Amino acid sequence: MNKLPRASALALSITALLFLPPAHAETKIEPDASGSGVATTLDRLTVTGARATGRTIENSPAPIDVISAQELESTTRTDLFEALNNTLPAWNTPVRANASDLGSMIRVGQLRGLSPNHTLVLVNGKRWHTTALFGAGGLTGQAPVDLATFPTGAIQRLEVLRDGASAIYGSDAIAGVVNIITSQQAEGGEVAYRYGVNDGGEGELHTLTARAGFGLGQEGYINFAIQYDDQDPTITSTDVPLDYPLFFLRDADGNPVVPTGSVWRPQIPEGATLDPREHEVDRGRWRWPINGRRKSELRGFTANAGTPLGESTELFAFFNHARRQAWAPQFFRPVWRDDVVRVIHPDGFQPKEEIREQSVGGTIGLRGSLAGDWQWETSVTHGQDAIRAYIHDSINPTFGLDSQTSFYLGKVRYAATTWNLDLRRGFEVGLASPLELSLGAEARQEDYRKWAGDPQSYTHGGGLILDGPNAGKPYSRAVGYSQALAGFSPDDAVEVGRDNWAVYAGLSLNPVERWTVDLAARHEDYEDFGTASTWRLSSRVELGRRWALRGTASTGFQAPALAAQAHKFTQNSPAGVTYTLQVGSPQAQALGARPLRPEESENYSIGLVFQPWDGASAALDVYRIDVDNRIATSTSISGDSYPGALPLLQSLGYGRADAVSYLLNAANTRNEGVEATFEASSDLGRFGSVRWTAAGNWTRGELRSVAPTPAVLADYDVPVFSRGNSNLLLLLSPKSKQILSADWELGRWSTLLRFTRYGSLERYGVPVGRPASEEVAYTLDPVWITDLDIGFQLNDHLRLAVTASNLFNQLPDRLPAVLTQPGQYYSYPVNGPVSADGGFYSASIEYRW
């Protein structure tokens, strides 16, 4: 890891400071309108950029965005991923990142074009637990926080730090930090209902939120919030064309004939004709719905409380519980395929995957002052995410008529408990303002476990094909699972854990008037890979009444997800079986796998902040982030993609239809970009007032180097990290993104108009069933999206609103025809930020008291 420069000198300085006299100036805390004991500058106060008190958006040395609850409501979606996507140019939430299985039901987000794992999520300043599903969003190697399980109705605001902060918060804060601040409302409340639907009538959304605050004792508060979301699916695919048969073909004598070609590209052999039912069946019934929005239900509950315990101590606590179900349909299995048991599914079948997720987390702690000199805080945060997986309308054909049609696939669970102790004290040392020292220690315990599913979901039953032209023949090993997705076998079951501890320190000072300096250092020890030391230096210099220069240099790291070393996965598709091998398995090591190392980063940014006129603010920031040892998936090695490697696969027990890969430290990357923000307000007199905002992000990524290909793969001309895989590291985000908005208020009316431009996207794809050498490059053109929110306040309590996301129903470019899935006339990409669902229109009613 990066070593802390001049660490001993810094330690001596900190030790000396402990004996300096305390500062007598301190920040005055007053209750706000809700009765909570927070600073009167609550709407602009931030705790994300440094551990020092008194930092605001205006004087922060690093770029920070604050998104209010009102802005979240105007995005029409209750999913935090989409709310961030609609409000922050530096944030990207793909529609779905190349996922068709469990990963497609758990979305991910990116900050500054980096991996989802590189954004740390805090709740009220405390590290939150990640998803249990390793490979969320279809990105193998990723296990970020699932923001979609956090009820937006409980949120007072979001703070987003667009800068590296590992020295402050530890692992994962390479790209930045999202800090969710929950409501501290001590009285009143609200209840709201929203109904929405996509263009064309699909994707109905019902959302119910409620929140209420109550006094706790004389000066405390307790706040409750609930949320229910019911999201229907959308389908963005075409009807199945006639050149993709759903039934057996017929020869001249009327006997059933299997199509030639591959399962992906079936061909009608000479002399064969279509079954008459092909013209009668509803070919829209089996449309390929794997590209649309998933059906899901979310039920969430939160409680947030705080109360004084005497004159100098406060008790605080937070609890969140969320249950979510989601369903993902898979490719239709036509009648002529032998993995269809035709007695059970006479018209073929379409499997549907399901997850049942439960996310629970909470914090309890104490804060106060010690002899008036030291401010202290101690807390414990525990969270866990558990996911049970199922598949319905499926079959394990090797069990014939005895096969189940619904399967329990297994369960995964991730849990983490974090203990924190923080100390802070101000000192008078002859500077322009008191120096503030912060010290802290953290311990974290993590646990990851995977349980096996139903035996039939992963077992070959040994049965023979019951009917059709191949009746009596044995089934291959590739179909000895529940179709569409195999269950976890006892060999897949695993339980791993790890402990780590950290100590950290920070200094915040003003050497002279108008010059702010923040220093931070952190040392961590992980029992599974060793130590990590990081540092951070931020500074802000006011160049005049309206101008300031700011900059940050830091190092960071991201520990491999606990599940990474133990991860292995089996997935079967219409063409064969894909195996993700455990890094330490004999098969992976025979293909060149090595133990995973932490990712390491160096972050540099410099920015200019200025006020063009009173009531307006603007900023321009330039950044560079170098990340080494990026964890990703190796090349997927199969006999189809790399025909010359078939002997190697066969020597390890795999067949032509099998594909194998493993995790590795694949590459060193560099992300560079420019960010610009502008905000101003206009008082239009009797025509109301308008808040104008404009923001943009321009970024590019490059590979600085790629892991060397092991000799065993080089001998078969197989790169260990293919170009297609590297593209997922670099090209998932648009090259640029700009957001322009105007928020107009006039009496009881309010209108928000927002324009978002998503820049071009470079993409690569391999035609289905073709070698990797036939990869196709294509570009998705820029897209402008218009959002509109109109609200009317009927009285002091009741508000109505209508909202349109993608008002003009803009769609992304279609995929090149050569990359279209079988059974489709055309298809849309799923790994860009603009959905093929088109416009979404909703209405809401809100009652406050």
Side-chain angles (χ1 to χ4, degrees):
M1 292 299 300
N2 297 306
K3 300 301 181 184
L4 180 65
R6 299 183 176 89
S8 57
L10 179 60
L12 289 172
S13 300
I14 293 173
T15 303
L17 287 168
L18 296 177
F19 298 97
L20 289 173
H24 297 291
E26 60 182 57
T27 304
K28 182 175 177 59
I29 303 296
E30 301 286 354
D32 70 352
S34 67
S36 60
V38 293
T40 55
T41 57
L42 177 64
D43 58 328
R44 307 299 293 179
L45 184 69
T46 177
V47 298
T48 304
R51 293 192 181 274
T53 58
R55 288 285 183 261
T56 66
I57 303 305
E58 286 80 5
N59 65 23
S60 171
I64 297 174
D65 302 288
V66 172
I67 305 170
S68 67
Q70 181 180 356
E71 289 177 288
L72 293 177
E73 293 171 4
S74 70
T75 62
T76 77
R77 298 285 187 183
T78 53
D79 184 328
L80 275 181
F81 284 119
E82 295 194 32
L84 287 166
N85 200 49
N86 288 350
T87 52
L88 293 183
W91 186 272
N92 175 57
T93 296
V95 176
R96 228 181 46 253
N98 290 340
S100 59
D101 284 295
L102 301 181
S104 71
M105 292 179 273
I106 296 182
R107 302 180 69 185
V108 296
Q110 300 173 277
L111 190 60
R112 287 184 163 179
L114 291 171
S115 295
N117 275 1
H118 292 156
T119 301
L120 176 65
V121 175
L122 309 174
V123 176
N124 297 324
K126 308 300 180 183
R127 176 183 288 268
W128 204 241
H129 59 277
T130 66
T131 178
L133 184 65
F134 190 68
L139 299 175
T140 304
Q142 304 298 308
V145 173
D146 185 0
L147 291 171
T149 62
F150 200 95
T152 57
I155 297 175
Q156 182 170 301
R157 70 183 187 275
L158 294 178
E159 300 172 350
V160 181
L161 170 65
R162 292 179 275 119
D163 211 340
S166 289
I168 302 176
Y169 299 110
S171 176
D172 306 344
I174 288 178
V177 180
V178 174
N179 189 20
I180 302 172
I181 305 297
T182 56
S183 176
Q184 298 179 3
Q185 185 177 353
E187 60 182 13
E190 62 188 64
V191 61
Y193 169 74
R194 181 186 296 275
Y195 170 79
V197 66
N198 276 92
D199 182 77
E202 296 178 339
E204 283 191 354
L205 173 67
H206 300 268
T207 295
L208 177 66
T209 60
R211 180 171 61 187
F214 305 92
L216 191 62
Q218 292 185 342
E219 300 180 28
Y221 66 91
I222 186 167
N223 190 272
F224 299 102
I226 61 172
Q227 182 164 321
Y228 172 73
D229 292 344
D230 183 4
Q231 172 72 67
D232 279 350
T234 60
I235 299 176
T236 60
S237 299
T238 68
D239 292 353
V240 179
L242 275 173
D243 62 2
Y244 190 94
L246 301 178
F247 301 93
F248 281 114
L249 303 171
R250 299 293 174 177
D251 63 16
D253 298 323
N255 298 314
V257 176
V258 177
T260 57
S262 69
V263 67
W264 290 115
R265 303 292 182 196
Q267 305 293 322
I268 301 175
E270 186 177 352
T273 59
L274 294 175
D275 187 297
R277 289 175 293 177
E278 299 282 3
H279 302 277
E280 301 168 359
V281 70
D282 179 7
R283 304 189 73 81
R285 176 187 176 191
W286 301 121
R287 285 189 295 171
W288 268 227
I290 63 171
N291 293 342
R293 186 177 294 275
R294 301 309 192 213
K295 177 174 176 56
S296 63
E297 289 185 9
L298 173 70
R299 297 171 177 85
F301 167 78
T302 65
N304 194 34
T307 186
L309 299 178
E311 295 184 358
S312 61
T313 305
E314 178 190 2
L315 171 70
F316 60 92
F318 173 77
F319 174 76
N320 176 72
H321 180 273
R323 287 183 178 272
R324 183 176 62 178
Q325 283 182 273
W327 295 264
Q330 301 302 307
F331 285 108
F332 173 64
R333 270 62 175 172
V335 174
W336 53 264
R337 286 181 47 172
D338 286 329
D339 50 15
V340 177
V341 178
R342 287 170 277 268
V343 176
I344 297 176
H345 294 120
D347 296 322
F349 66 94
Q350 185 165 42
K352 181 186 294 183
E353 295 170 12
E354 176 193 4
I355 60 171
R356 300 175 190 175
E357 181 176 14
Q358 180 173 254
S359 178
V360 181
T363 296
I364 187 168
L366 294 168
R367 63 170 66 98
S369 60
L370 185 65
D373 297 341
W374 287 94
Q375 304 296 315
W376 60 270
E377 179 176 299
T378 182
S379 65
V380 58
T381 299
H382 176 78
Q384 69 175 37
D385 185 64
I387 298 175
R388 294 177 179 269
Y390 301 83
I391 194 163
H392 309 288
D393 299 325
S394 183
I395 201 80
N396 183 334
T398 66
F399 283 89
L401 299 180
D402 294 326
S403 174
Q404 301 169 212
T405 55
S406 288
F407 302 83
Y408 167 58
L409 302 177
K411 174 184 174 182
V412 289
R413 186 193 67 195
Y414 171 80
T417 303
T418 305
W419 295 266
N420 285 96
L421 173 64
D422 292 285
L423 302 171
R424 186 170 56 245
R425 179 181 173 183
F427 298 90
E428 295 285 4
V429 292
L431 301 178
S433 63
L435 176 150
E436 189 165 312
L437 168 68
S438 58
L439 301 171
E442 178 179 286
R444 187 163 70 254
Q445 187 176 61
E446 299 175 88
D447 176 76
Y448 173 80
R449 189 172 180 183
K450 181 186 291 187
W451 288 265
D454 291 338
Q456 281 197 12
S457 70
Y458 57 80
T459 304
H460 195 293
L464 304 178
I465 299 173
L466 296 178
D467 57 10
N470 294 321
K473 293 182 180 179
Y475 281 104
S476 71
R477 179 173 53 85
V479 295
Y481 308 95
S482 50
Q483 290 304 290
L485 189 64
F488 304 143
S489 71
D491 288 341
D492 295 327
V494 66
E495 182 174 12
V496 292
R498 73 178 173 202
D499 298 332
N500 78 287
W501 57 265
V503 291
Y504 44 88
L507 289 174
S508 295
L509 64 152
N510 294 86
V512 296
E513 195 75 29
R514 302 188 178 211
W515 181 20
T516 300
V517 177
D518 286 337
L519 297 166
R522 188 181 183 101
H523 178 79
E524 300 212 24
D525 187 289
Y526 283 77
E527 68 171 336
D528 57 349
F529 70 80
T531 62
S533 296
T534 54
W535 58 267
R536 185 174 189 265
L537 168 63
S538 295
S539 184
R540 184 180 189 273
V541 180
E542 295 184 19
L543 305 177
R545 188 172 73 89
R546 297 186 181 275
W547 298 84
L549 189 67
R550 66 187 181 191
T552 299
S554 67
T555 60
F557 76 103
Q558 197 267 314
L562 183 57
Q565 293 280 18
H567 178 68
K568 51 184 174 180
F569 188 62
T570 302
Q571 175 185 2
N572 59 356
S573 72
V577 182
T578 299
Y579 299 90
T580 302
L581 306 177
Q582 186 175 353
V583 171
S585 68
Q587 296 92 336
Q589 291 183 345
L591 295 173
R594 295 293 179 267
L596 297 176
R597 305 187 306 277
E599 300 181 351
E600 302 174 354
S601 72
E602 292 184 358
N603 298 49
Y604 303 96
S605 67
I606 188 169
L608 185 65
V609 183
F610 56 99
Q611 282 186 294
W613 59 85
D614 290 343
S617 61
L620 181 69
D621 292 277
V622 180
Y623 62 87
R624 189 182 80 186
I625 307 171
D626 290 344
V627 186
D628 293 344
N629 303 326
R630 293 284 296 270
I631 296 175
T633 309
S634 73
T635 298
S636 182
I637 310 167
S638 70
D640 287 334
S641 298
Y642 298 94
L646 184 58
L648 174 62
L649 294 174
Q650 291 174 332
S651 70
L652 297 174
Y654 301 105
R656 175 176 291 277
D658 296 332
V660 297
S661 61
Y662 54 84
L663 296 175
L664 79 160
N665 293 104
N668 300 333
T669 63
R670 171 170 292 170
N671 284 59
E672 297 176 317
V674 178
E675 294 169 339
T677 61
F678 171 80
E679 180 178 335
S681 297
S682 299
D683 186 349
L684 305 181
R686 65 189 183 92
F687 295 106
S689 62
V690 180
R691 176 174 172 258
W692 311 91
T693 62
N697 174 275
W698 295 262
T699 187
R700 71 181 184 91
E702 65 177 79
L703 284 178
R704 292 160 46 231
S705 62
V706 176
T709 297
V712 64
L713 296 183
D715 290 343
Y716 293 91
D717 294 326
V718 177
V720 72
F721 192 58
S722 68
R723 185 173 71 169
N725 287 14
S726 66
N727 292 335
L728 285 177
L729 288 183
L730 302 175
L731 303 178
L732 202 56
S733 296
K735 292 181 178 179
S736 65
K737 180 179 174 183
Q738 296 82 41
I739 301 176
L740 310 173
S741 69
D743 192 351
W744 177 39
E745 294 190 4
L746 176 62
R748 294 179 179 270
W749 290 92
S750 63
T751 301
L752 172 66
L753 180 64
R754 179 171 51 234
F755 302 99
T756 304
R757 180 186 182 273
Y758 296 97
S760 62
L761 290 156
E762 294 181 19
R763 290 290 183 264
Y764 296 83
V766 178
V768 176
R770 304 303 302 165
S773 59
E774 297 184 18
E775 188 175 55
V776 175
Y778 61 101
T779 300
L780 302 176
D781 291 334
V783 179
W784 278 97
I785 300 296
T786 303
D787 300 331
L788 178 65
D789 178 83
I790 301 175
F792 180 70
Q793 194 76 37
L794 275 72
N795 52 46
D796 291 342
H797 303 288
L798 197 61
R799 183 178 187 270
L800 303 177
V802 292
T803 308
S805 291
N806 194 355
L807 176 64
F808 300 112
N809 198 38
Q810 295 295 307
L811 301 179
D813 293 339
R814 294 176 180 176
L815 286 174
V818 70
L819 298 178
T820 299
Q821 295 284 3
Q824 294 180 335
Y825 289 105
Y826 58 83
S827 184
Y828 293 97
V830 298
N831 55 4
V834 178
S835 168
D837 296 335
F840 179 81
Y841 314 102
S842 67
S844 64
I845 181 170
E846 179 184 278
Y847 181 81
R848 293 190 176 186
W849 65 91

